[in-house]
Amino acid sequence: MSPPPFAGAAGAPPRARVLPRFLTRLLAVVAVVLGTALAGPLPAARASMTLTQVSDFGSNPGALTMYVYRPASLPAHPPVVVALHGCTQNAQVYADNSGLPQLADRDGFLLVLAQTSSANNASQCFNWFQTTDNRRGQGEALSIRQMVSQAVTAYGADPQRVYVTGLSAGGAMTAVMLATYPDVFSAGAVVAGLPYDCTKDNSPYTCMNPGVDLSPDAWAQRVRDAYPSYTGPWPRTAVWYGDQDTTVVPRNATELRDQWTALHGLSQTPSRTATIGPDATRQDQYLAADGTVAVEVDRVPGIGHGTPVDPGTGTQQCGSTGAPYFAASICSSYWIARFFGLDTSDPGGGGTGGGGSGAACWTASNYAQVQAGRATTSGGYTYAKGSQQNMGLYNTFVTHTLKESPTGYYTIADNGCP
């Protein structure tokens, strides 16, 4: 079998790389396991979301395509959520079925969708397993980072509130982005993905099933090695898995937990456990010293490989099962937005954004203001970023309105905003 073409997407520079024959054969196996190649085109989604293609967002060494979903009503300096589709999917399919655009409308964030192609990978998987694409400053990882820069420049997005999520190969690529660009992403949610750099000394197939068991410290070191000079805080990380997944087995959820709890200096024993959603998803949370959720693991019962969705119009419902790899169970996107601190429908969520006269205003609990990056916490109290005004106790019960003006400077505006 001759190596598949690895030319860039239309209009992008070709990618100069030739794969050894053994790796080409391995990738064919990976494509089947990760992508389960379909006999025909994907079924049409029930509703097609309007996406805008952005053709010029940098050098784009990974030859990816950038799409944006911009809500009709978007606050000044909105957060950014980057979404990475799974194998055999594309940006449109992920937008139409994940529920993320509806949450962007409600919660006021800019949605950026990266898309790979069959020219990059035969099954349209992000190349999370290749060093040419999973290292800082090169390949697909750099292309996705450039999309974030474009979102900040062109849409006035807040560079302090950038998040990433994705499914399967997109989930594994989410872990890549958190590891290689911890200075860019505040948090991420890996859906049916894998620990960063598992393929350093294992095949992709082995990493997916049966999985690889390393110590938490060994996993954490692989992330540190991705950006050795980095000394800042590590991104908060959520992990989502179906407990019947045989493609990327649930063992990877445990290994991801080990990797990111170790980075945060936390025990692998959860600080608290709860059941959420209509299907009693088990949610384990690992709390940092200041009470924030640094790592979260959500294990969804009774589903296999895919993004958990819960079609409907309820507050905690979202998504569609109109395409493969979207499993009817729980609206994971809702809970992911909540983990990011973006959910405006809940007192513990991201607050409401609005504004006028050049100012953006946000009403939310102190907990949510900190999660969204508009405030900090010290000694059990909350302080507005910039003004350092004392907002009271750091919890989900005390609520304030913050006004942002200028960018990154927040003041308490409980009596009216702007």
Side-chain angles (χ1 to χ4, degrees), residues 83-123:
L84 307 174
H85 63 79
C87 297
T88 74
Q89 297 178 338
N90 56 36
Q92 189 69 61
V93 166
Y94 208 66
D96 290 345
N97 293 277
S98 66
L100 285 169
Q102 292 87 344
L103 291 165
D105 286 336
R106 188 183 73 189
D107 297 336
F109 60 82
L110 186 72
L111 180 61
V112 173
L113 300 109
Q115 178 176 294
T116 187
S117 68
S118 57
N120 283 358
N121 181 286
S123 286

Side-chain angles (χ1 to χ4, degrees), residues 171-408:
M173 202 68 193
T174 293
V176 168
M177 299 313 298
L178 295 176
T180 57
Y181 291 100
D183 52 333
V184 173
F185 296 96
S186 298
V190 178
V191 184
L194 300 99
Y196 175 69
D197 213 16
C198 179
T199 51
K200 176 181 180 180
D201 44 13
N202 299 280
S203 75
Y205 183 91
T206 298
C207 290
M208 293 183 295
N209 188 348
V212 173
D213 181 22
L214 297 181
S215 71
D217 287 341
W219 278 127
Q221 189 59 47
R222 296 196 178 195
V223 174
R224 295 189 189 99
D225 290 344
Y227 187 7
S229 63
Y230 181 69
T231 59
W234 294 105
R236 299 167 55 248
T237 305
V239 179
W240 281 79
Y241 261 84
D243 69 358
Q244 303 300 309
D245 194 335
T246 58
T247 301
V248 183
V249 295
R251 179 181 193 173
N252 284 290
T254 301
E255 303 304 315
L256 275 161
R257 178 208 64 189
D258 290 354
Q259 186 167 61
W260 290 94
T261 51
L263 280 166
H264 285 275
L266 302 176
S267 164
Q268 284 70 59
T269 301
S271 306
R272 61 190 181 206
T273 297
T275 56
I276 60 172
D279 59 353
T281 289
R282 173 174 168 159
Q283 182 180 80
D284 293 334
Q285 294 183 326
Y286 303 79
L287 305 185
D290 64 359
T292 58
V293 181
V295 178
E296 179 180 288
V297 179
D298 297 273
R299 300 179 189 271
V300 185
I303 69 166
H305 193 64
T307 298
V309 296
D310 183 14
T313 58
T315 300
Q316 297 184 11
Q317 290 183 292
C318 74
S320 166
T321 56
Y325 309 118
F326 293 94
S329 50
I330 182 176
C331 171
S332 57
S333 292
Y334 163 81
W335 292 96
I336 288 169
R338 180 171 174 164
F339 176 79
F340 291 164
L342 304 177
D343 174 32
T344 63
S345 67
D346 182 271
T352 55
S357 303
C361 300
W362 314 86
T363 300
S365 70
N366 281 355
Y367 172 82
Q369 300 283 22
V370 171
Q371 295 301 302
R374 297 185 286 269
T376 59
T377 181
S378 177
Y381 287 87
T382 307
Y383 299 89
K385 277 192 175 179
S387 70
Q388 292 302 306
Q389 290 175 303
N390 190 329
M391 299 164 60
L393 291 173
Y394 175 59
N395 58 36
T396 60
F397 304 105
V398 179
T399 297
H400 285 292
T401 297
L402 293 181
K403 179 175 73 173
E404 182 185 14
S405 183
T407 301

Side-chain angles (χ1 to χ4, degrees), residues 103-192:
L103 291 165
D105 286 336
R106 188 183 73 189
D107 297 336
F109 60 82
L110 186 72
L111 180 61
V112 173
L113 300 109
Q115 178 176 294
T116 187
S117 68
S118 57
N120 283 358
N121 181 286
S123 286
Q124 296 172 224
C125 306
F126 289 100
N127 289 320
W128 56 273
F129 46 86
Q130 293 189 165
T131 56
T132 47
D133 288 302
N134 65 15
R135 295 295 190 262
R136 184 179 174 91
Q138 62 189 48
E140 293 179 359
L142 179 55
S143 290
I144 295 168
R145 196 271 175 265
Q146 290 175 342
M147 293 181 193
V148 173
S149 296
Q150 176 67 14
V152 171
T153 300
Y155 296 88
D158 185 349
Q160 302 303 313
R161 293 185 294 153
V162 179
Y163 311 94
V164 59
T165 186
L167 164 68
S168 189
M173 202 68 193
T174 293
V176 168
M177 299 313 298
L178 295 176
T180 57
Y181 291 100
D183 52 333
V184 173
F185 296 96
S186 298
V190 178
V191 184

